[in-house]
Amino acid sequence: MKELIRTNDAVVLSFATSLLNDAGIHSLTADQSMSVLEGSLGLLPRRLLVETERADEARRLLVDAGLEAELRTEK
């Protein structure tokens, strides 16, 4: 899996997840439970992961939707 977004912004995560789901791209929000445990102070960001095989497609979709600034740089 590849990480596309790391953020504390629940709206960004929800929007990105919805876009990916609509495109049939499976995603996973990691560290969501850790965020709840820390009391929603916003200290621990959540990560949006997608299947490695569809990461480029997912990245293009999120860029087209205006989320380019939220994307992690590719390594």
Side-chain angles (χ1 to χ4, degrees), residues 1-3 25-26 49-58:
M1 302 215 49
K2 284 205 169 191
E3 179 182 347
I25 300 172
H26 298 288
L49 308 170
V50 296
E51 300 166 311
T52 303
E53 301 81 29
R54 300 201 64 192
D56 291 335
E57 179 185 358

Side-chain angles (χ1 to χ4, degrees), residues 5 16-17 19 23 25 40 49 56 62 65 73:
I5 295 175
T17 301
L19 289 170
I25 300 172
S40 299
L49 308 170
D56 291 335
L62 296 176
T73 57

Side-chain angles (χ1 to χ4, degrees), residues 12-54:
V12 168
L13 281 173
S14 177
F15 180 51
T17 301
S18 178
L19 289 170
L20 294 171
N21 286 340
D22 288 348
I25 300 172
H26 298 288
S27 64
L28 169 71
T29 302
D31 304 323
Q32 192 160 351
S33 296
M34 293 304 295
S35 178
V36 170
L37 287 175
E38 55 107 7
S40 299
L41 296 174
L43 300 176
L44 298 173
R46 286 169 276 172
R47 298 175 293 141
L48 181 65
L49 308 170
V50 296
E51 300 166 311
T52 303
E53 301 81 29
R54 300 201 64 192

